[in-house]
């Protein structure tokens, strides 16, 4: 845990559907600090590639596109939001074409350097909870708190399937499991900043826990730290 004079940053990493997004969002609300979904930036870049017909497996084309993109960041209701070339991509970030391509965008080292810079700049907005894959290891290795949330693959597939059915009215649990496993493999075997448990991170296995239990545990730890003289 870092010195109390530094700004409070809570880093929450973990694989897809580990419960990290809901937990991070709620922890930020309980603590009344800014919430940053780092994956949204990678998804935003992927959305632009899909829209412009840029092949995500062609790093040069992706980098050229990246260098010709205008991002604006702002805070709304304590949540980091952004526009890309003046448009708000929020509604498209979880669409199927983005979902299937984002891991390929996230393996490109130049894209990661760009994202890490943007993510570090968000600390200018104040104390924050940031979720992702490399927050505790690369973006904020000195974060005040670092957590790594995990859950069994079958449980993660079940959760993601439930979300899909709620959002799109359909979903095949076996296909969800194989898509999650494919992304896990890409995310954890890539050369730059693979998904890993960062040094000093507390691991929470959420398989048998409710969201509320995970949120309370993290919020209690952070509040205990805040209450210290
Ligand atoms: O958390 P998510 O499902 O929205 O992440 C989307 C993709 O972006 C996923 O393939 C991992 C990648 N990602 C990453 O490499 N580093 C981050 N800090 C956040 C997301």
């Amino acid at each position: 845990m870092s010195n109390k004079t530094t700004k409070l940053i809570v880093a929450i990493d973990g694989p897809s559907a580990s419960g990290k997004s809901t937990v991070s969002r709620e922890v930020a609300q309980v603590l009344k600090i800014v919430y940053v979904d780092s994956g949204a930036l990678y998804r935003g870049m992927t959305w632009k590639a899909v829209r412009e017909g840029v092949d995500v497996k062609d790093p040069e084309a992706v980098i050229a596109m990246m260098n010709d993109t205008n991002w604006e960041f702002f805070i709304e209701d304590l949540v980091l939001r952004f526009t890309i070339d003046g448009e708000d991509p929020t509604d498209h970030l979880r669409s199927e074409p983005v979902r299937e391509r984002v891991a390929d965008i996230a393996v490109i080292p130049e894209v990661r350097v760009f994202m890490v810079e943007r993510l570090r700049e968000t600390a200018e907005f104040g104390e924050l909870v940031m979720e992702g894959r490399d927050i505790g290891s690369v973006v904020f290795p000195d974060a005040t708190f670092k957590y790594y949330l995990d859950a069994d693959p079958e449980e993660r597939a079940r959760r993601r399937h439930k979300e899909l059915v709620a959002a799109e009215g359909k979903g095949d649990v076996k296909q969800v499991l194989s898509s999650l496993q494919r992304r896990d493999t890409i995310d954890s075997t890539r050369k730059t900043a693979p998904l890993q448990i960062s040094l000093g991170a507390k691991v929470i296995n959420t398989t048998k826990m409710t969201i509320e239990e995970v949120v309370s545990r993290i919020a209690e730890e952070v509040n205990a730290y805040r209450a210290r003289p």
Side-chain angles (χ1 to χ4, degrees), residues 16 20 38-39 42-43 94 102-103 106 112 132-135 183 187 190:
S16 320
K20 159 178 75 87
S38 68
Y42 290 90
R43 288 171 183 265
R94 306 222 155 246
V102 62
R112 302 205 67 84
R133 302 292 192 290
D134 61 341
I135 311 307
R183 274 216 279 153
D187 291 343
R190 67 176 176 232

Side-chain angles (χ1 to χ4, degrees), residues 39-66:
L41 274 69
Y42 290 90
R43 288 171 183 265
M45 182 90 91
T46 310
W47 169 72
K48 177 163 170 168
V50 170
R51 229 168 52 140
E52 300 195 352
V54 171
D55 179 1
V56 296
K57 293 207 162 92
D58 177 351
E60 278 183 24
V62 172
I63 294 162
M65 179 197 81
M66 179 176 87

Side-chain angles (χ1 to χ4, degrees), residues 6-224:
T6 57
K7 187 180 283 176
L8 176 73
I9 293 180
V10 181
I12 304 185
D13 290 302
S16 320
S18 55
K20 159 178 75 87
S21 298
T22 316
V23 166
S24 305
R25 196 182 303 266
E26 291 190 15
V27 166
Q29 274 174 11
V30 172
L31 299 175
K32 297 192 173 49
I33 61 178
V34 171
Y35 163 66
V36 180
D37 168 9
S38 68
L41 274 69
Y42 290 90
R43 288 171 183 265
M45 182 90 91
T46 310
W47 169 72
K48 177 163 170 168
V50 170
R51 229 168 52 140
E52 300 195 352
V54 171
D55 179 1
V56 296
K57 293 207 162 92
D58 177 351
E60 278 183 24
V62 172
I63 294 162
M65 179 197 81
M66 179 176 87
N67 291 333
D68 187 27
T69 306
N70 178 35
W71 297 73
E72 301 273 352
F73 294 91
F74 56 99
I75 303 294
E76 201 175 82
D77 297 333
L78 285 179
V79 174
L80 181 85
R81 302 277 307 272
F82 56 88
T83 57
I84 295 179
D85 302 327
E87 277 190 64
D88 181 348
T90 310
D91 290 345
H92 309 283
L93 300 183
R94 306 222 155 246
S95 66
E96 208 251 331
V98 169
R99 207 158 64 217
E100 293 306 319
R101 290 170 178 78
V102 62
D104 291 313
I105 285 264
V107 297
I108 304 171
E110 289 83 351
V111 169
R112 302 205 67 84
V113 169
F114 174 89
M115 294 302 182
V116 169
E117 283 173 8
R118 300 291 82 70
L119 291 168
R120 286 187 181 145
E121 286 164 6
T122 64
E124 290 165 14
F125 289 117
E127 297 183 324
L128 48 92
V129 175
M130 186 179 290
E131 63 145 306
R133 302 292 192 290
D134 61 341
I135 311 307
S137 56
V138 178
V139 180
F140 293 119
D142 296 326
T144 333
F145 286 88
K146 299 199 229 178
Y147 293 96
Y148 185 92
L149 265 49
D150 208 350
D152 298 347
E154 290 73 21
E155 172 61 15
R156 290 167 43 218
R158 201 188 58 73
R159 291 176 186 169
R160 185 46 54 88
H161 177 252
K162 209 170 143 196
E163 277 170 20
L164 267 180
V165 172
E168 297 174 7
K170 60 180 166 54
D172 171 344
V173 81
K174 275 203 194 119
Q175 203 222 318
V176 172
L177 179 62
S178 70
S179 165
L180 274 181
Q181 285 173 329
R182 179 181 155 269
R183 274 216 279 153
D184 281 358
T185 308
I186 303 180
D187 291 343
S188 49
T189 56
R190 67 176 176 232
K191 288 207 185 76
T192 315
L195 171 66
Q196 58 179 339
I197 303 173
S198 66
L199 202 66
K202 295 182 182 185
V203 179
I204 305 181
N205 187 318
T206 69
T207 307
K208 295 199 168 71
M209 290 174 84
T210 63
I211 295 291
E212 291 69 33
E213 286 169 330
V214 187
V215 171
S216 330
R217 172 169 162 194
I218 298 177
E220 274 167 24
E221 288 179 358
V222 176
N223 277 330

